[in-house]
Amino acid sequence: MNITCVEVREEEKIFFEQELPTAKLLAEKLDSSMLSTIRDTEILCVFVDSLVTKEVIDALPHLQLITTRSTGLDHVDTAYATSKGITVTNVPGYGKRSVAEFALALLLTLSRKIFDAYHQVRFNGDYSFKHLRGFDLGGKTLGIIGTGQIGRHLAQIARGLEMTVLAYDVQPDPAIATSLGFTYVDFDTLLSGADIISLHVPLLPATRHLLNRDTLAKTKPGVYIINTARGELIDTTALIEALNSGQVAGAGLDVLEGESELKDEVELISGGQQMADVQVMLENHILTDMPQVVVTPHIAFYSKEAEREIVQTSISNIKSFMKATPTNKAQAL
Ligand code: NAI
């Protein structure tokens, strides 16, 4: 079959070349200018910066499978693809260790002012500790929103650090809460009870701007926010206001609203985008410059172990589709 894989990193290439030698491998993300050159594609393999919209799907008339090398599916119009009989698959659950450990890394970076200390020593040769007092995680309350694969693994880590864990999920799993020692509460109780809130839900219409001006006002003053899920879960304007007022003391963000545009600002400026996109881009710069904010470039998934699992699962998704027994089929949400 005619296979096109986009956003292929060098480290992934060798796996695809061995297992799917006829696949066309492109380093670039999917964009409208490449559609005519990949018109014959029957299997399209993408990553998170490639937006598989209705227009893209319509421009690829032979498309039978869209497979994303990610857990999140918010960049794929799954409903439209499914309505056209196109199968959509993803890589569920690979990231539980990589992403949960990364969320902890962001949290420890904030709680113990690791970056401030590093910069002070490295760039100023200053070994004083006057401005570097942090706080312990043990004894604090972590609020986890979304207790799927990643959220529950973070709960387990947090319990190991002697934290109290509150959780909220639309589909709670009481058995896992009992075995890991965390407590399900309603959304508002989590907001008011947590010293730190970590987001682990998919981006859906119901979760877009889950943290906004109203919900941030219900949090404990001085709360810390960790986001390794999707940038659009947080209203960036509201987060900046809350950081400025001190309602939010700090934020560790691996994902930002509109982050794919941020990676290519030239395209954003020349592409006739909406003013709202430009506003989010400017706000992202403001966030990135705030001393109490740590931003990383969507790398929580990017560990040796997770990368291998992602590529192998994606290849197996493609091969099983070709044998007419598709695995990891996604539903339109
Ligand atoms: P999962 O599917 O195992 O868990 C998601 C959980 O969210 C489920 O328990 C579900 O019931 C819950 N949920 C759904 N809608 C909700 C709502 N409205 N309110 C509360 N809970 C809700 O997913 P997993 O593997 O834990 O990943 C979570 C998210 O993390 C992914 O959707 C993806 O966006 C993001 N992710 C980010 C990565 C990164 O590199 N930064 C890497 C991998 C995933």
Side-chain angles (χ1 to χ4, degrees), residues 103-112 135-145 154 158 161-168 189-200 211 216 219-227 247-252:
L104 177 70
L106 287 175
L107 179 50
L108 284 167
T109 301
L110 292 167
S111 68
R112 300 311 308 267
F135 64 89
D136 290 347
L137 297 182
K140 300 292 182 305
T141 298
L142 174 65
I144 295 181
I145 302 182
L154 182 62
L161 293 168
E162 300 177 3
M163 300 183 82
T164 300
V165 178
L166 302 179
Y168 170 72
T189 305
L190 183 144
L191 293 178
S192 61
D195 300 300
I196 299 127
I197 294 174
S198 194
L199 298 173
H200 301 286
L211 295 186
L216 285 170
T219 58
K220 245 189 201 184
V223 70
Y224 284 78
I225 308 284
I226 304 295
N227 189 6
Q247 176 69 14
V248 173

Side-chain angles (χ1 to χ4, degrees), residues 75-145:
H75 53 297
V76 179
D77 191 338
T78 306
Y80 186 65
T82 312
S83 77
K84 292 197 70 174
I86 297 166
T87 302
V88 179
T89 62
N90 67 338
V91 186
Y94 75 84
K96 67 172 191 183
R97 284 207 183 91
S98 319
V99 181
E101 288 177 13
F102 197 85
L104 177 70
L106 287 175
L107 179 50
L108 284 167
T109 301
L110 292 167
S111 68
R112 300 311 308 267
K113 298 186 188 281
I114 305 285
F115 280 177
D116 297 339
Y118 169 82
H119 282 118
Q120 182 182 301
V121 171
R122 172 132 196 190
F123 299 110
N124 300 332
D126 178 357
Y127 283 83
S128 67
F129 52 76
K130 207 163 112 198
H131 301 292
L132 298 176
R133 191 182 64 196
F135 64 89
D136 290 347
L137 297 182
K140 300 292 182 305
T141 298
L142 174 65
I144 295 181
I145 302 182

Side-chain angles (χ1 to χ4, degrees), residues 292-319:
Q292 70 276 49
V293 176
V294 175
V295 175
T296 50
H298 199 148
I299 53 165
F301 75 95
Y302 196 37
S303 70
K304 266 195 290 191
E305 294 78 6
E307 179 171 68
R308 199 174 312 120
E309 194 176 336
I310 293 167
V311 183
Q312 282 168 351
T313 306
S314 299
I315 289 169
S316 123
N317 284 349
I318 292 173
K319 286 186 168 179

Side-chain angles (χ1 to χ4, degrees), residues 71-72 74 93-94 99 145-151 168-171 200-204 206-207 228-230 254-255 298-301:
T71 304
D74 42 282
Y94 75 84
V99 181
I145 302 182
T147 54
Q149 296 293 322
I150 297 169
Y168 170 72
D169 197 299
V170 282
Q171 289 186 297
H200 301 286
V201 289
L203 175 61
L204 305 168
T207 58
T228 55
R230 284 293 180 269
D254 185 47
V255 285
H298 199 148
I299 53 165
F301 75 95

